Amino acid sequence: MTRFDIITCQPSLLDGPFSHSILKRAQDKGLVEVHLHDLRAYAINKHGQIDDYAFGGGAGMVLMVEPIAKCIRELQAQRSYDAVIYMTPDGQTLNQATSNRLSLLENIIILCGHYKGVDQRVRDMFVTHEISIGDYVLSGGELAAAVLADSIIRIIPGVLNDESSALSDSFQDNLLAPPVYSRPADFEGHGVPEILLSGNTPKVEEWRFEQAVQRTRERRPDLLPEE
Ligand code: 6GU
């Protein structure tokens, strides 16, 4: 069982992704639990304040250390966590190897940033991993957290119906996935590679590997080992 505790000031942004499709099925099967925590509930004053001006001035608010510390400490008092992940554009760029490693963990806290981010002391005191999902800026960490959780959850054994299918994804062996075809065998004169209709499984596997290598060489040569 993998448990995610996601700390956010916009929980409604995350209601959707986890109540549909594969992510919902994983929870229904008891393989995953996702708990959303509204940072507002941990505000330290009656105004529900969770952000404040940055010392030294400048535009943008900073998420305060106290509410986040309170929320994380309450969670850590209930169980031990294998990772406290802060979603931030200045974190390590997410890749398949990182998702694979994180999929082996049991209890994961994901902290979503907003505004100018969180007080640096949160990062120094509580955070074990800082992850970005790419070199562009989102308005908050919520969508990035959904991306990270999806990439982890879908490779947990038993989550996908056909267990081999996560293994044949693009990136799983640093190769892009080969092209796929389904019926009809002819669509408006556009056919399907003959080999796929042959029933010769070893030949099909060989063809798929060649196609994967060719696609990777053309589109993402950076993924291939240097010659
Ligand atoms: Cl994790 N957060 C935000 N706000 N923007 C991002 C990101 C994360 N990853 C890429 N852009």
Side-chain angles (χ1 to χ4, degrees):
M1 158 73 77
T2 307
R3 175 182 172 120
F4 292 90
D5 286 280
I6 305 182
I7 304 171
T8 167
C9 47
Q10 290 207 283
S12 62
L13 268 178
L14 289 166
D15 287 340
F18 294 105
S19 49
H20 290 97
S21 185
I22 289 170
L23 301 187
K24 175 163 195 298
R25 194 153 8 98
Q27 294 170 84
D28 292 345
K29 282 186 183 173
L31 299 169
V32 171
E33 279 182 21
V34 179
H35 300 266
L36 301 180
H37 304 277
D38 188 347
L39 196 54
R40 192 77 57 186
Y42 298 84
I44 55 156
N45 61 31
K46 58 177 181 294
H47 312 294
Q49 187 185 1
I50 54 171
D51 59 0
D52 207 340
Y53 298 99
F55 278 128
M61 304 294 276
V62 176
L63 285 176
M64 299 161 72
V65 61
E66 294 103 319
I68 297 172
K70 195 164 151 199
C71 183
I72 292 176
R73 285 185 170 136
E74 270 184 32
L75 289 169
Q76 286 177 332
Q78 294 166 60
R79 65 194 65 74
S80 73
Y81 284 88
D82 305 301
V84 178
I85 302 172
Y86 174 47
M87 303 308 303
T88 177
D90 59 8
Q92 277 217 318
T93 310
L94 182 63
N95 60 28
Q96 190 64 47
T98 300
S99 295
N100 290 350
R101 251 183 285 115
L102 294 173
S103 76
L104 303 174
L105 304 184
E106 286 196 342
N107 298 320
I108 301 173
I109 290 174
I110 303 180
L111 172 63
C112 303
H114 243 259
Y115 319 109
K116 283 274 128 190
V118 301
D119 189 301
Q120 179 60 35
R121 290 166 292 185
V122 170
R123 302 167 74 159
D124 297 341
M125 295 172 68
F126 298 102
V127 169
T128 62
H129 301 65
E130 301 194 330
I131 295 179
S132 161
I133 64 164
D135 293 340
Y136 43 84
V137 180
L138 303 170
S139 42
E142 284 77 13
L143 298 179
V147 167
L148 174 66
D150 183 297
S151 76
I152 294 171
I153 290 169
R154 62 186 298 288
I155 49 185
I156 293 170
V159 168
L160 294 186
N161 290 328
D162 175 2
E163 280 204 36
S164 74
S165 99
L167 293 176
S168 60
D169 290 337
S170 279
F171 300 110
Q172 202 47 273
D173 39 20
N174 270 337
L175 288 177
L176 301 183
V180 294
Y181 297 85
S182 183
R183 293 190 289 182
D186 182 290
F187 178 70
E188 299 177 356
H190 295 259
V192 169
E194 206 56 51
I195 183 73
L196 297 179
L197 309 174
S198 70
N200 186 335
T201 308
K203 282 278 177 214
V204 167
E205 285 309 309
E206 191 183 325
W207 179 85
R208 285 183 171 150
F209 179 72
E210 286 163 6
Q211 290 288 313
V213 171
Q214 188 184 320
R215 246 188 195 188
T216 308
R217 202 181 292 127
E218 285 169 6
R219 298 177 181 207
R220 293 294 308 277
D222 57 298
L223 294 176
L224 292 171
E226 314 225 352
E227 325 257 329

